């Protein structure tokens, strides 16, 4: 039987990396994921294994000690990892976004300082845009940086930092009016600061507090936190790229590749849900035959597999577009939107196939059912994706009459 979600045209190196990751997922992640998730336990052994495989440096250029691989290779690895446990892909994702932003926008000194240790997994990244009062509307950010000599003083509260506790480098987006007169468009007065800190909770650096883990319905194991800046002093050479006022664009660039990543996660979770559904459907008997032999269940499986294939194809297309050096916001938005919606639907169908047992914590599908909704929200909700897609379509199909 042809497996679902195959990717044509991969190099030998890509195939080798993927088969190593798939093997790791089958042996080291799937057997322990549900148990760790139920205990909301950080998967330290898994993270150590990924570190050893070089996954934290997958897209970091070789000159900085990474593997210098493409976004496509990265996304396909993420798909495999999310198939094992979505939370683990979340541990890598924010790290990857910060490394990508450094690679694209950092000064030479910033790249030399951070990237080699990020490639080794010794420094791990988190990124922070959201605040208690905003998520979709990034231009409404209220956290502020004020210049004081060769330093900036940061104040404000941030929300929903994936890896907020375990990271040691946070890319934080704040408003910095210095050099930008009143009346400047909101997105032109934002700056990304590279904030180093100790991993952990409490006051992790003078003026910087990570209060504790937010208790979530799913996406457990990985820590999600608030971040409070109260007179946090950051040296001017830790402004990403060395120039203020560029933060919004830098973050949006990071989020664009992050969207491909979330699409890949949706593909991975949907694949796992399909695997669980198709296996269960052949084991469970009703009315004298396996439920897979009832046409209604076969139709469900057909729909699920079609969605898995379609989402995978769109995700691969979005990654390849970015790798070719072209703008991919349309493709990334479409892939993220479709993959996350399909993921939720495929998981729901696999849950229904399990009947009452899907409701039991003994069955893996129960965990997937709580994990899929996160993908509808992270890196921009469906409504935000549709806004991006709609705007881009009107640019491309401008009425010429
Ligand atoms: C587990 C988890 C981890 C996260 N990790 C991070 C992280 O690492 N870093 C980070 O910065 N953020 C992170 N986030 C935040 C996430 O990006 C936001 O939750 C998301 O962008 C939505 O913002 P919001 O929650 O403020 O919802 P809101 O923006 O308040 O939106 C609420 C609803 O209104 C809709 N809506 C908003 N504006 C419009 C509009 N113009 N038109 C139509 N509908 C609209 C939305 O689609 C949504 O349905 C995380 C969130 C979660 C749940």
């Amino acid at each position: 039987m042809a497996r679902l979600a195959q990717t044509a045209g991969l190099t030998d190196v890509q195939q080798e990396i993927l088969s190593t990751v798939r093997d790791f997922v089958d042996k080291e992640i799937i057997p322990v994921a549900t148990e760790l998730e139920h205990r909301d336990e950080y998967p330290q052994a898994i993270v150590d294994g990924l570190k050893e495989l070089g996954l934290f440096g997958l897209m970091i250029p070789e000159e900085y000690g990474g593997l210098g691989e493409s976004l496509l290779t990265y996304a396909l690895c993420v798909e495999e990892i999310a198939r094992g446990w979505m939370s683990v892909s979340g541990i890598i994702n924010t790290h990857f976004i910060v490394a990508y932003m450094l690679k694209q926008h950092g000064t030479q000194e910033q790249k030399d300082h951070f990237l080699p240790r990020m490639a080794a997994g010794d420094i791990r990244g988190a990124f922070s845009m959201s605040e208690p009062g905003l998520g979709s509307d990034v231009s409404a950010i209220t956290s502020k940086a004020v210049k004081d000599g060769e330093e900036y003083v940061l104040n404000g509260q941030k929300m929903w930092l994936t890896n907020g506790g375990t990271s040691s480098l946070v890319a934080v987006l704040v408003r910095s009016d210095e050099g930008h007169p009143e009346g400047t468009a909101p997105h032109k007065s934002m700056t990304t600061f590279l904030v180093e800190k100790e991993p952990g909770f409490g006051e992790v650096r003078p003026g910087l507090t990570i209060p504790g883990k937010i208790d979530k319905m799913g996406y457990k194991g990985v820590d999600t936190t608030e971040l409070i800046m109260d007179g946090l002093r950051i040296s001017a050479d830790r402004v990403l790229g060395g120039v203020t006022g560029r933060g919004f664009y830098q973050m949006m660039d990071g989020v664009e590749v992050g969207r491909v990543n979330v699409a890949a996660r949706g593909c991975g979770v949907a694949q796992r849900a399909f695997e669980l559904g198709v296996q269960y459907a052949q084991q469970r008997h009703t009315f004298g035959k396996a439920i897979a032999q009832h046409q209604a269940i076969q139709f469900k499986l057909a729909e699920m597999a079609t969605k898995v294939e379609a989402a995978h194809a769109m995700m691969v297309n979005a990654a390849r577009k970015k790798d070719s050096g072209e703008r991919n916001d349309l493709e990334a938005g479409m892939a993220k939107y479709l993959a996350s919606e399909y993921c939720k639907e495929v998981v729901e169908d696999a849950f229904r196939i399990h009947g009452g047992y899907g409701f039991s914590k003994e069955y893996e599908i129960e965990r997937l059912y709580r994990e899929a909704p996160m993908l509808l929200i992270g890196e921009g909700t469906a409504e935000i994706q549709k806004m991006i897609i709609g705007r881009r379509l009107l640019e491309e199909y401008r009425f010429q009459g």
Side-chain angles (χ1 to χ4, degrees):
M1 183 198 92
R3 287 191 70 89
L4 291 176
Q6 296 297 297
T7 314
L10 296 181
T11 63
D12 290 348
V13 174
Q14 285 175 315
Q15 283 176 15
E16 203 183 310
I17 293 174
L18 278 174
S19 107
T20 308
V21 172
R22 190 177 182 92
D23 204 40
F24 182 83
V25 168
D26 286 336
K27 290 193 182 124
E28 310 292 336
I29 301 185
I30 290 179
V32 297
T34 300
E35 209 183 312
L36 289 173
E37 201 267 353
H38 287 165
R39 292 205 300 266
D40 196 6
E41 187 174 318
Y42 188 77
Q44 191 58 55
I46 293 173
V47 170
D48 291 345
L50 294 177
K51 211 169 138 177
E52 226 164 88
L53 291 180
L55 263 279
F56 285 97
L58 196 59
M59 261 189 86
I60 295 178
E62 283 170 304
E63 58 189 296
Y64 298 107
L67 297 177
E69 272 296 327
S70 63
L71 179 60
L72 177 63
T73 314
Y74 178 78
L76 294 174
C77 288
V78 165
E79 183 180 38
E80 291 294 349
I81 292 169
R83 191 184 132 259
W85 184 11
M86 207 268 280
S87 295
V88 177
S89 58
I91 291 171
I92 301 178
N93 182 40
T94 61
H95 175 85
F96 151 76
I97 292 178
V98 177
Y100 173 82
M101 284 166 59
L102 267 161
K103 181 181 82 154
Q104 296 297 108
H105 306 287
T107 64
Q108 193 56 52
E109 185 276 329
Q110 289 167 350
K111 291 181 201 180
D112 292 341
H113 183 75
F114 290 113
L115 286 180
R117 284 180 294 153
M118 289 188 87
D122 294 335
I123 291 186
R124 298 240 296 284
F127 91 110
S128 172
M129 294 193 295
S130 306
E131 296 185 356
L134 63 101
S136 308
D137 187 6
V138 177
S139 66
I141 277 178
T142 58
S143 298
K144 252 193 147 158
V146 175
K147 192 144 198 227
D148 181 20
E150 284 310 299
E151 291 182 324
Y152 286 84
V153 182
L154 276 58
N155 283 290
Q157 187 175 347
K158 290 291 186 180
M159 185 73 191
W160 298 118
L161 274 84
T162 301
N163 299 312
T166 40
S167 58
S168 42
L169 172 65
V170 188
V172 185
L173 187 65
V174 301
R175 191 166 297 291
S176 60
D177 291 337
E178 164 256 345
H180 310 287
E182 217 162 287
T184 304
H187 56 281
K188 288 190 174 154
S189 61
M190 288 191 199
T191 298
T192 306
F193 283 88
L194 299 166
V195 177
E196 289 174 86
K197 68 173 186 67
E198 286 299 317
F201 299 96
E203 193 170 22
V204 287
R205 169 182 178 154
L208 180 66
T209 301
I210 305 286
K213 290 200 310 189
I214 298 170
D215 199 11
K216 298 164 294 188
M217 70 181 267
Y219 200 36
K220 289 174 182 279
V222 56
D223 50 293
T224 308
T225 72
E226 295 172 46
L227 175 149
I228 298 162
M229 299 172 287
D230 183 11
L232 170 65
R233 301 190 81 85
I234 303 290
S235 153
D237 61 9
R238 289 297 168 256
V239 168
L240 179 62
V243 183
T244 58
R246 294 188 181 163
F248 184 82
Y249 301 102
Q250 294 163 342
M251 282 278 176
M252 289 305 127
D253 189 24
V255 164
E256 212 169 272
V257 289
R259 280 186 183 138
V260 176
N261 172 289
V262 174
R265 287 203 245 174
C267 294
V269 174
Q271 269 176 54
R272 184 63 186 157
F274 174 78
E275 287 169 10
L276 296 172
V278 77
Q279 280 162 24
Y280 188 84
Q282 293 168 79
Q283 289 159 19
R284 181 73 173 174
H285 286 70
T286 67
F287 301 93
K289 54 185 173 184
I291 59 170
Q293 298 309 321
H294 297 301
Q295 195 182 48
I297 299 293
Q298 258 179 42
F299 277 13
K300 258 194 210 315
L301 293 171
E303 286 163 13
M304 291 158 73
T306 306
K307 288 173 182 173
V308 166
E309 282 293 282
H312 178 81
M314 286 195 79
M315 179 273 286
V316 167
N317 180 46
R320 283 196 160 133
K321 190 97 191 270
K322 188 80 177 178
D323 284 335
S324 73
E326 288 179 74
R327 177 178 176 182
N328 83 334
D329 53 349
L330 178 68
E331 292 77 8
M334 284 180 168
K336 196 270 165 179
Y337 168 52
L338 188 99
S340 58
E341 296 290 333
Y342 275 3
C343 172
K344 186 198 67 165
E345 292 169 16
V346 172
V347 167
E348 164 106 30
D349 276 346
F351 169 79
R352 286 174 191 256
I353 287 173
H354 279 72
Y357 290 101
F359 217 65
S360 161
K361 281 188 173 269
E362 269 184 45
Y363 284 76
E364 199 178 325
I365 192 65
E366 179 271 342
R367 168 169 65 78
L368 270 55
Y369 196 86
R370 287 181 291 101
E371 287 176 338
M374 151 64 192
L375 300 170
L376 301 170
I377 307 292
E379 313 293 354
T381 62
E383 288 72 27
I384 297 303
Q385 305 311 319
K386 285 192 252 185
M387 279 164 62
I388 296 167
I389 296 166
R391 276 190 206 132
R392 285 284 285 117
L393 289 175
L394 289 175
E395 267 174 53
E396 294 291 335
Y397 289 84
R398 200 179 298 279
F399 180 57
Q400 304 288 350

